[in-house]
Amino acid sequence: MKTTTLSFRNMHEHGPLLVNVLRARYETFIEKAKWDLPAYEGMEYDQYDTPASRWIAVHDGEEVLAGVRLTPTTARCGIYSYMIRDAQRGLLDSISSDLLYEEAPIADDIVESSRIFVTDKVASNQRMRVQIGLISEMVTSARAMGASRVLGLIPANGPRWGRRVGLDIEAAGPVLEFEDGTTPSRCVWINLHSDG
């Protein structure tokens, strides 16, 4: 098992790994969770998959086991910025605009995490190892992007799970229930400490 941070600058060094991340997202979010998301040739993508983002993959060779996307809160693409802020601004129909306790930040030292997943290919006795690998690489990559905090929309039980793997997590918004029966979620702050 390896962890790799992909970007537009280095994706050519990793063969089909970024394509396989998007395929794993398709399987996870469109096929399994039945989310209504953009897709093309079995790959899930959206307006936040831009050169400003990074994609973290936990993988066994070219097979993707888990992933997450990191996007600077200073990112811009047309009318869009980053998912949580755009939801708060009412630009996304699928996510409530009252998802944060405060105004969504725009700051060089804050990145957003989104599209976090672990595939069904991961056996239950390997899930914790895969999750720790994913979170460790996320923290390293966020720091490399200049972040001191990560803002993410995660399953509502995520803060409890995050503490089990050593993350300093605090609620950034209320628990959100979705009409489609998707797992309740909430926005959280993940504080990145220099000793973590």
Side-chain angles (χ1 to χ4, degrees), residues 129-149:
R129 181 173 170 239
V130 168
Q131 291 167 339
I132 288 172
L134 180 64
I135 297 306
S136 176
E137 186 74 7
M138 181 191 77
V139 167
T140 298
S141 296
R143 286 180 180 152
M145 293 170 75
S148 61
R149 295 195 300 169

Tab-separated table of all heavy atoms in Angstrom, residues 129-149:
chain	number	residue	atom	x	y	z
A	129	ARG	N	-5.879	0.941	8.784
A	129	ARG	CA	-4.560	1.189	8.182
A	129	ARG	C	-4.694	2.112	6.963
A	129	ARG	O	-3.900	3.036	6.769
A	129	ARG	CB	-3.924	-0.138	7.789
A	129	ARG	CG	-2.560	-0.010	7.182
A	129	ARG	CD	-1.931	-1.396	6.966
A	129	ARG	NE	-0.739	-1.267	6.175
A	129	ARG	CZ	-0.528	-1.848	5.017
A	129	ARG	NH1	-1.423	-2.655	4.497
A	129	ARG	NH2	0.588	-1.665	4.369
A	130	VAL	N	-5.690	1.848	6.126
A	130	VAL	CA	-5.918	2.679	4.940
A	130	VAL	C	-6.315	4.097	5.358
A	130	VAL	O	-5.807	5.083	4.810
A	130	VAL	CB	-6.981	2.038	4.023
A	130	VAL	CG1	-7.449	3.008	2.945
A	130	VAL	CG2	-6.434	0.762	3.396
A	131	GLN	N	-7.206	4.220	6.331
A	131	GLN	CA	-7.644	5.537	6.788
A	131	GLN	C	-6.482	6.336	7.378
A	131	GLN	O	-6.340	7.533	7.103
A	131	GLN	CB	-8.770	5.393	7.812
A	131	GLN	CG	-10.059	4.890	7.201
A	131	GLN	CD	-11.083	4.433	8.227
A	131	GLN	OE1	-10.754	4.114	9.370
A	131	GLN	NE2	-12.336	4.374	7.811
A	132	ILE	N	-5.639	5.677	8.163
A	132	ILE	CA	-4.491	6.375	8.746
A	132	ILE	C	-3.537	6.831	7.644
A	132	ILE	O	-3.025	7.951	7.680
A	132	ILE	CB	-3.789	5.481	9.797
A	132	ILE	CG1	-4.679	5.371	11.043
A	132	ILE	CG2	-2.409	6.027	10.151
A	132	ILE	CD1	-4.201	4.367	12.076
A	133	GLY	N	-3.310	5.987	6.640
A	133	GLY	CA	-2.466	6.386	5.517
A	133	GLY	C	-3.033	7.584	4.779
A	133	GLY	O	-2.303	8.523	4.427
A	134	LEU	N	-4.340	7.570	4.553
A	134	LEU	CA	-5.005	8.678	3.859
A	134	LEU	C	-4.891	9.971	4.657
A	134	LEU	O	-4.518	11.019	4.118
A	134	LEU	CB	-6.475	8.324	3.616
A	134	LEU	CG	-7.325	9.369	2.895
A	134	LEU	CD1	-6.820	9.606	1.477
A	134	LEU	CD2	-8.783	8.942	2.878
A	135	ILE	N	-5.188	9.909	5.946
A	135	ILE	CA	-5.156	11.103	6.790
A	135	ILE	C	-3.730	11.627	6.931
A	135	ILE	O	-3.493	12.837	6.873
A	135	ILE	CB	-5.783	10.805	8.169
A	135	ILE	CG1	-7.260	10.445	8.015
A	135	ILE	CG2	-5.590	11.972	9.124
A	135	ILE	CD1	-8.111	11.452	7.265
A	136	SER	N	-2.778	10.740	7.099
A	136	SER	CA	-1.380	11.160	7.224
A	136	SER	C	-0.913	11.908	5.982
A	136	SER	O	-0.295	12.973	6.068
A	136	SER	CB	-0.506	9.933	7.482
A	136	SER	OG	0.845	10.297	7.524
A	137	GLU	N	-1.226	11.366	4.804
A	137	GLU	CA	-0.847	12.031	3.556
A	137	GLU	C	-1.624	13.337	3.372
A	137	GLU	O	-1.073	14.318	2.871
A	137	GLU	CB	-1.074	11.101	2.366
A	137	GLU	CG	-0.589	11.641	1.044
A	137	GLU	CD	0.918	11.630	0.862
A	137	GLU	OE1	1.642	11.075	1.718
A	137	GLU	OE2	1.382	12.181	-0.157
A	138	MET	N	-2.890	13.373	3.807
A	138	MET	CA	-3.670	14.604	3.721
A	138	MET	C	-3.022	15.705	4.553
A	138	MET	O	-2.872	16.835	4.103
A	138	MET	CB	-5.106	14.382	4.188
A	138	MET	CG	-5.961	15.637	4.079
A	138	MET	SD	-7.556	15.516	4.910
A	138	MET	CE	-7.050	15.729	6.619
A	139	VAL	N	-2.613	15.381	5.776
A	139	VAL	CA	-1.981	16.366	6.651
A	139	VAL	C	-0.666	16.849	6.033
A	139	VAL	O	-0.403	18.057	5.966
A	139	VAL	CB	-1.758	15.773	8.064
A	139	VAL	CG1	-0.833	16.653	8.901
A	139	VAL	CG2	-3.098	15.581	8.766
A	140	THR	N	0.158	15.926	5.553
A	140	THR	CA	1.436	16.293	4.928
A	140	THR	C	1.216	17.193	3.721
A	140	THR	O	1.888	18.219	3.552
A	140	THR	CB	2.203	15.019	4.513
A	140	THR	OG1	2.477	14.250	5.685
A	140	THR	CG2	3.502	15.351	3.797
A	141	SER	N	0.255	16.838	2.870
A	141	SER	CA	-0.018	17.611	1.655
A	141	SER	C	-0.607	18.976	1.976
A	141	SER	O	-0.246	19.974	1.348
A	141	SER	CB	-0.955	16.835	0.733
A	141	SER	OG	-0.322	15.655	0.311
A	142	ALA	N	-1.514	19.027	2.942
A	142	ALA	CA	-2.103	20.315	3.334
A	142	ALA	C	-1.021	21.251	3.860
A	142	ALA	O	-0.990	22.438	3.525
A	142	ALA	CB	-3.202	20.097	4.368
A	143	ARG	N	-0.132	20.720	4.682
A	143	ARG	CA	0.979	21.543	5.179
A	143	ARG	C	1.858	22.028	4.028
A	143	ARG	O	2.296	23.175	4.012
A	143	ARG	CB	1.813	20.749	6.178
A	143	ARG	CG	1.156	20.583	7.518
A	143	ARG	CD	2.052	19.797	8.432
A	143	ARG	NE	1.432	19.618	9.736
A	143	ARG	CZ	1.677	18.592	10.531
A	143	ARG	NH1	2.541	17.647	10.167
A	143	ARG	NH2	1.076	18.491	11.699
A	144	ALA	N	2.128	21.139	3.055
A	144	ALA	CA	2.946	21.525	1.896
A	144	ALA	C	2.266	22.629	1.085
A	144	ALA	O	2.954	23.416	0.425
A	144	ALA	CB	3.223	20.309	1.018
A	145	MET	N	0.947	22.690	1.157
A	145	MET	CA	0.190	23.748	0.482
A	145	MET	C	0.152	25.025	1.315
A	145	MET	O	-0.464	26.005	0.916
A	145	MET	CB	-1.238	23.258	0.191
A	145	MET	CG	-1.307	22.131	-0.829
A	145	MET	SD	-2.964	21.378	-0.935
A	145	MET	CE	-3.868	22.648	-1.857
A	146	GLY	N	0.769	25.011	2.506
A	146	GLY	CA	0.821	26.184	3.375
A	146	GLY	C	-0.300	26.265	4.390
A	146	GLY	O	-0.503	27.304	5.014
A	147	ALA	N	-1.024	25.172	4.585
A	147	ALA	CA	-2.196	25.202	5.470
A	147	ALA	C	-1.829	24.984	6.939
A	147	ALA	O	-0.949	24.189	7.259
A	147	ALA	CB	-3.200	24.139	5.049
A	148	SER	N	-2.540	25.682	7.799
A	148	SER	CA	-2.494	25.419	9.236
A	148	SER	C	-3.803	24.775	9.696
A	148	SER	O	-3.873	24.213	10.782
A	148	SER	CB	-2.253	26.708	10.027
A	148	SER	OG	-3.306	27.631	9.814
A	149	ARG	N	-4.838	24.876	8.827
A	149	ARG	CA	-6.129	24.242	9.114
A	149	ARG	C	-6.737	23.718	7.823
A	149	ARG	O	-6.501	24.238	6.740
A	149	ARG	CB	-7.114	25.233	9.752
A	149	ARG	CG	-6.688	25.714	11.109
A	149	ARG	CD	-7.802	26.389	11.881
A	149	ARG	NE	-8.333	27.561	11.207
A	149	ARG	CZ	-9.441	28.188	11.591
A	149	ARG	NH1	-10.130	27.752	12.624
A	149	ARG	NH2	-9.873	29.241	10.949
